[in-house]
Amino acid sequence: MTTKLSKACVLIILFCFIFQIHSKSNANSFKPKSLNERVDSVLNLMTLHEKVGQLNQYSSSWATGPESHQENKFQDIKDGKVGSMLNVKGVEATRAMQKIAMQSRLKIPLLFGFDVIHGYKITFPIPLAEASSWDLEEIEKSARIAAIEASASGLHWTFAPMVDIARDPRWGRVMEGAGEDTYLGSEIAKARVKGFQGKGIGNTDAVMACVKHFAAYGAAIGGRDYNSVDMSERTLWEVYLPPFKAAAMAGAATFMNSFNDVNGVPATGNTYLQRDILKGKWNFKGFIVSDWGSIGGMISHGFVGNSKEAANVAINSGNDMDMESRSYIENLAALVKEGKVAIGTVDESVKRILLKKFELGLFDDPYKFCSEKRENQELTNPQHRKSARQIAQKSIVLLKNDNDLLPLNKKQKVALIGPLAKSKNDMLGSWNVYWPDNSDVVSQYEGIEQRVGKNNLLYAKGCEVNDSSKTGFDEAIAIAKQADIVILTVGEKSGMSGEARSRSNIHLPGVQEDLIKAIYATGKPIVILINAGRPLIFNWTADHVPAILYTWWLGSEAGNAIADVLYGDYNPSGKLTITFPREEGQIPVYYNHLNTGRPYVRGSADTTYITGYNDLVRTPRFPFGFGLSYTSFNYSNLKMSSTKMKPNEMIDISFTLTNTGKVKGEEVVQFYIRDEVASLVRPVKELKDFQKIMLLSGESRDIHFKVDKEKLSFYNNKIDWVAESGTFQIMIGSSSENIELKDTLQLVD
Ligand code: BGC
């Protein structure tokens, strides 16, 4: 009894003592610590090994690259050797893994990253398709919804947006970016960052963006993935860096470097890119993660001799986190002890990462993003599906519509033919991250069946996407003959474009174009749907078939969105953001090329001694900015507030846009300039602004663009951003080729 009593007394005294200390420390910590102070207070507690651990990122078993060393993962987390995991998803899994991190000495929470590239559970169109919408609000919304779902699923970080400018459709990763234009790419980069990060990281519905691949990854020689990049300093600054800068200025939390070398220096070990430009000139305060194994990749490049040298070069050049190379965890501590890497350099990287963990609120609650309730709600939110359908509609590009064959009439009997008609998985495209669940994807067959009813719909596969058998042709021809209209859906399977999916032959694969020819021979009217992750080549089809819709890979709502456009519930408004070549031999072909001393002038009689190929028409198949509508638009009444402008002035350029057709529709009006004479050869045209305008049939609106010095500037050879006085052509049109209104502007001193 007495022992029990005395035990109780001891407990009470102890409680009072702790309570007193606690209230005193509360009184002392009256002034809340800043996040940077909190970062320092954690850093001060860390051993060198724990610091290195924060810079180490492992993948879970779902991998996007060669897996390495899975065996000791959990023990390493407990030992404080891991700062972040990628490819763990879902509340249950992330919570379980975070619990392991909470067993480590300092209980520093893990960051969970994932490739949420175009949607999470609800899949949106691939980024190249979304870019074709030229609709920044919709693009932001798609990233917003992806972030809402991903964060509800325990994730903190997406490896997106990919902002690599790409001029080569042989490169499989064109599907992941916004196309070939720097201005449009920069606007889209900002919209995506805003969408992912919402009202700011730390909100439970936001994820950190990761801008990639820094830098110039899209310029891989020959479009061969992971290949070297060799370009002038000027081109790097003028064409490839601006979308990265725009994303950094929009507050992107993190960056990823890239596999390629730039002029001989791998991006992962590139001090100029990472320290001088990104962390220096642009004052970027977030952290840089390597690409998958790209620190180790510097050994294959022949840039370093071994993993230890790779770690040394990477950290010193500004790469903060090591994704799956294990170069840091195996070598950094030794490098510090040997004096090759300053502890201050390691500390700087650790602080950048800890700061993001604080900003996310993970130190206050490591399970902040782990709510099953929210996960269930958001992953089944019907609004997300609605938005996916809307942006999918806007991503479709109408390439041809002779004699207004489209939109179709629901009463027509349809023969739906083609290897992709019933596919669900191929609608999702590459980076379909919620696999293997694709049951709720709407196939093209389902979308069209809903419109016309089962009895009005005949179906035949015709052939496979990519093989040589024509045994299915007869059945396809037979159903075509019974129908009023044929819808033929062809293209690429989802694995044919994407990372490591470069192709030397980008013609419509297999015997698909032969199938089109065979059906065409029946004399039935044909609409072609092309589902793909890149521009494909289909010259015969483009020359003969009356109606073509480029439908890319449109995501979960593909079938519904396609049916909406086919039957006129949505009037197509998409415009290409990448040039479509006539042949592979024409690549690279892009609209904003420089003029030569012997240029090709559109419409002039071809002569031999001009730039181009003797055996090919000089123009592309479909130009940048091109896309048709079910209505027509008239551009008139160009006005300029002045035809002369001083560098500190701004002028207003306006015109009237009228919907002259019978239905309402959206037009993407494009504003281009050309610097006529400059100290360096300038592009024949550069997009400087655009607007997407909705007009009712018969409606007119005055559209305004502003021009200031910024829009007339370029990088000179000293990498100074300058505007030179002289004449500038002002061009407004519906595509880079179809210029409707033109004038000139003088920039005067
Ligand atoms: C890709 C990155 C991706 C990473 C993680 C790499 O192979 O290049 O874009 O974020 O894998 O999955």
Side-chain angles (χ1 to χ4, degrees):
M1 178 72 182
T2 33
T3 39
K4 268 192 184 164
L5 250 180
S6 53
K7 261 190 192 166
C9 288
V10 171
L11 276 176
I12 290 167
I13 292 166
L14 202 66
F15 175 77
C16 294
F17 181 66
I18 293 171
F19 182 74
Q20 214 182 347
I21 294 183
H22 193 69
S23 18
K24 266 195 189 157
S25 71
N26 271 351
N28 289 342
S29 62
F30 175 65
K31 182 173 160 275
K33 281 186 175 161
S34 72
L35 286 191
N36 281 323
E37 284 168 339
R38 293 179 75 185
V39 165
D40 284 338
S41 65
V42 175
L43 189 81
N44 288 338
L45 301 173
M46 295 171 83
T47 64
L48 175 58
H49 287 279
E50 284 164 336
K51 289 177 180 176
V52 172
Q54 282 307 299
L55 310 183
N56 184 36
Q57 185 188 51
Y58 287 160
S59 174
S60 175
S61 48
W62 190 80
T64 52
E67 286 187 40
S68 56
H69 318 278
Q70 292 285 339
E71 64 283 0
N72 294 326
K73 230 165 27 197
F74 290 170
Q75 191 55 45
D76 280 3
I77 297 174
K78 270 189 210 163
D79 292 346
K81 290 181 173 170
V82 186
S84 170
M85 294 293 298
L86 75 147
N87 296 331
V88 186
K89 71 171 193 298
V91 165
E92 195 186 336
T94 51
R95 182 190 286 119
M97 212 160 270
Q98 198 67 292
K99 274 192 178 159
I100 301 175
M102 290 304 116
Q103 293 169 39
S104 66
R105 189 180 79 90
L106 290 176
K107 303 185 178 13
I108 300 178
L110 288 168
L111 275 180
F112 294 111
F114 205 79
D115 288 283
V116 182
I117 309 289
H118 54 112
Y120 181 66
K121 173 82 165 58
I122 275 287
T123 308
F124 286 87
I126 55 166
L128 184 60
E130 275 191 2
S132 312
S133 74
W134 296 58
D135 193 322
L136 299 175
E137 266 175 42
E138 288 290 335
I139 291 170
E140 183 179 332
K141 200 199 287 173
S142 135
R144 184 84 287 280
I145 291 171
I148 290 171
E149 292 193 358
S151 59
S153 212
L155 297 171
H156 310 136
W157 184 20
T158 176
F159 302 122
M162 192 270 227
V163 305
D164 297 306
I165 296 299
R167 293 169 158 179
D168 193 330
R170 292 171 299 182
W171 189 47
R173 294 193 90 166
V174 292
M175 54 86 34
E176 222 178 310
E180 74 189 32
D181 186 67
T182 304
Y183 175 77
L184 178 62
S186 303
E187 293 301 302
I188 291 179
K190 286 191 269 185
R192 289 199 166 124
V193 169
K194 269 163 72 189
F196 288 131
Q197 298 192 169
K199 294 208 170 75
I201 61 168
N203 289 295
T204 42
D205 67 352
V207 291
M208 298 196 293
C210 181
V211 187
K212 67 191 191 183
H213 304 84
F214 196 62
Y217 180 45
I221 294 171
R224 296 191 282 282
D225 209 359
Y226 315 127
N227 206 5
S228 294
V229 169
D230 194 52
M231 69 167 59
S232 74
E233 183 72 3
R234 248 190 38 71
T235 301
L236 178 68
W237 277 90
E238 196 162 292
V239 180
Y240 289 87
L241 291 184
F244 289 99
K245 184 174 179 192
M249 299 306 146
T254 73
F255 265 56
M256 182 185 290
N257 55 36
S258 53
F259 294 121
N260 57 289
D261 72 83
V262 182
N263 301 333
V265 181
T268 305
N270 201 312
T271 307
Y272 176 57
L273 287 174
Q274 301 182 110
R275 285 217 186 273
D276 299 351
I277 298 178
L278 181 57
K279 292 180 175 176
K281 267 187 202 312
W282 298 350
N283 198 23
F284 170 68
K285 297 289 183 221
F287 68 87
I288 305 176
V289 62
S290 76
D291 202 345
W292 182 292
S294 68
I295 298 181
M298 290 196 288
I299 306 169
S300 312
H301 273 290
F303 190 67
V304 292
N306 54 48
S307 173
K308 193 166 176 183
E309 286 175 24
N312 188 355
V313 167
I315 189 102
N316 278 314
S317 64
N319 177 108
D320 300 304
M321 187 180 276
D322 173 355
M323 180 193 286
E324 273 291 342
S325 282
R326 293 214 168 193
S327 294
Y328 282 5
I329 199 70
E330 286 169 3
N331 303 296
L332 258 190
L335 285 163
V336 171
K337 285 182 189 142
E338 290 161 19
K340 293 192 175 120
V341 172
I343 186 66
T345 307
V346 173
D347 284 354
E348 187 224 303
S349 291
V350 175
K351 280 160 87 168
R352 286 173 179 267
I353 292 163
L354 292 180
L355 182 63
K356 292 302 159 204
K357 293 186 176 182
F358 271 109
E359 287 176 6
L360 283 162
L362 294 176
F363 278 98
D364 298 326
D365 177 6
Y367 307 107
K368 186 172 165 183
F369 295 82
C370 295
S371 153
E372 270 91 0
K373 189 169 163 230
R374 199 162 87 83
E375 186 175 44
N376 287 337
Q377 266 168 7
E378 296 300 358
L379 267 47
T380 51
N381 186 334
Q383 282 308 322
H384 297 179
R385 186 166 276 283
K386 258 180 129 175
S387 297
R389 181 167 180 169
Q390 204 164 310
I391 188 146
Q393 294 168 340
K394 291 185 174 218
S395 305
I396 296 171
V397 185
L398 177 63
L399 294 179
K400 203 174 170 194
N401 194 19
D402 284 356
N403 303 321
D404 292 338
L405 180 61
L406 289 170
L408 304 176
N409 171 342
K410 277 181 211 158
K411 299 208 174 88
Q412 290 166 310
K413 194 170 191 84
V414 174
L416 177 62
I417 298 171
L420 291 165
K422 289 197 169 176
S423 172
K424 288 179 183 275
N425 212 41
D426 295 304
M427 298 300 101
L428 298 178
S430 184
W431 293 118
N432 145 27
V433 285
Y434 206 80
W435 67 279
D437 180 7
N438 61 21
S439 54
D440 59 359
V441 177
V442 183
S443 71
Q444 295 169 89
Y445 181 89
E446 288 164 342
I448 293 167
E449 186 191 30
Q450 277 212 3
R451 287 314 148 104
V452 298
K454 228 184 179 60
N455 296 338
N456 244 356
L457 181 61
L458 305 166
Y459 162 76
K461 193 169 189 185
C463 62
E464 296 297 333
V465 168
N466 197 15
D467 82 11
S468 54
S469 168
K470 296 186 179 177
T471 50
F473 279 26
D474 287 345
E475 187 197 354
I477 292 167
I479 67 155
K481 286 184 176 157
Q482 296 165 43
D484 303 315
I485 180 96
V486 178
I487 302 174
L488 232 162
T489 179
V490 294
E492 289 186 306
K493 287 190 82 60
S494 69
M496 293 176 83
S497 284
E499 184 179 349
R501 299 291 186 271
S502 293
R503 295 179 73 83
S504 66
N505 176 348
I506 58 166
H507 279 68
L508 209 47
V511 291
Q512 294 181 98
E513 201 157 40
D514 292 336
L515 176 65
I516 297 173
K517 289 178 189 169
I519 302 296
Y520 181 80
T522 64
K524 292 287 175 174
I526 305 178
V527 179
I528 300 286
L529 308 174
I530 303 181
N531 312 262
R534 55 151 65 88
L536 291 176
I537 296 172
F538 44 93
N539 288 319
W540 188 91
T541 304
D543 286 336
H544 294 85
V545 174
I548 304 172
L549 286 166
Y550 216 77
T551 61
W552 310 103
W553 290 324
L554 291 175
S556 308
E557 281 290 300
N560 282 334
I562 289 171
D564 291 338
V565 168
L566 284 171
Y567 289 94
D569 294 324
Y570 181 76
N571 180 358
S573 64
K575 304 252 188 185
L576 302 176
T577 66
I578 184 165
T579 303
F580 276 45
R582 290 178 187 274
E583 291 296 340
E584 290 88 358
Q586 203 181 22
I587 299 169
V589 54
Y590 47 92
Y591 86 95
N592 49 355
H593 60 88
L594 307 187
N595 233 349
T596 68
R598 292 191 166 182
Y600 166 70
V601 180
R602 205 183 167 87
S604 70
D606 258 5
T607 61
T608 309
Y609 297 100
I610 53 169
T611 309
Y613 301 102
N614 291 162
D615 58 349
L616 197 65
V617 178
R618 259 74 171 180
T619 53
R621 184 82 237 189
F622 297 106
F624 174 84
F626 175 78
L628 303 171
S629 164
Y630 295 156
T631 189
S632 49
F633 295 95
N634 181 262
Y635 290 63
S636 65
N637 203 18
L638 180 64
K639 284 189 205 144
M640 293 169 68
S641 61
S642 167
T643 53
K644 282 205 175 101
M645 177 183 135
K646 289 195 180 137
N648 59 351
E649 290 175 343
M650 183 184 273
I651 66 154
D652 179 82
I653 297 182
S654 66
F655 70 98
T656 308
L657 182 73
T658 306
N659 180 345
T660 49
K662 293 199 185 84
V663 289
K664 73 171 182 188
E666 288 153 293
E667 172 72 322
V668 178
V669 295
Q670 300 160 43
F671 177 79
Y672 296 91
I673 64 137
R674 174 173 180 176
D675 192 345
E676 278 193 348
V677 179
S679 59
L680 290 174
V681 178
R682 300 299 304 143
V684 294
K685 230 167 254 154
E686 290 175 88
L687 183 77
K688 289 290 171 179
D689 211 342
F690 64 89
Q691 290 179 41
K692 185 158 187 165
I693 310 288
M694 159 69 88
L695 290 180
L696 299 175
S697 165
E699 190 184 353
S700 288
R701 189 164 324 151
D702 288 342
I703 313 293
H704 293 261
F705 289 115
K706 303 275 178 228
V707 180
D708 58 6
K709 182 181 152 202
E710 180 70 16
K711 287 206 161 58
L712 307 178
S713 299
F714 64 95
Y715 283 105
N716 65 16
N717 275 334
K718 291 187 204 134
I719 315 300
D720 294 325
W721 183 240
V722 295
E724 294 179 350
S725 53
T727 306
F728 291 81
Q729 289 177 19
I730 300 292
M731 294 166 271
I732 294 172
S734 62
S735 81
S736 61
E737 289 290 348
N738 190 28
I739 298 302
E740 301 273 357
L741 300 168
K742 243 179 152 175
D743 208 330
T744 57
L745 167 69
Q746 306 290 326
L747 181 66
V748 292
D749 288 332

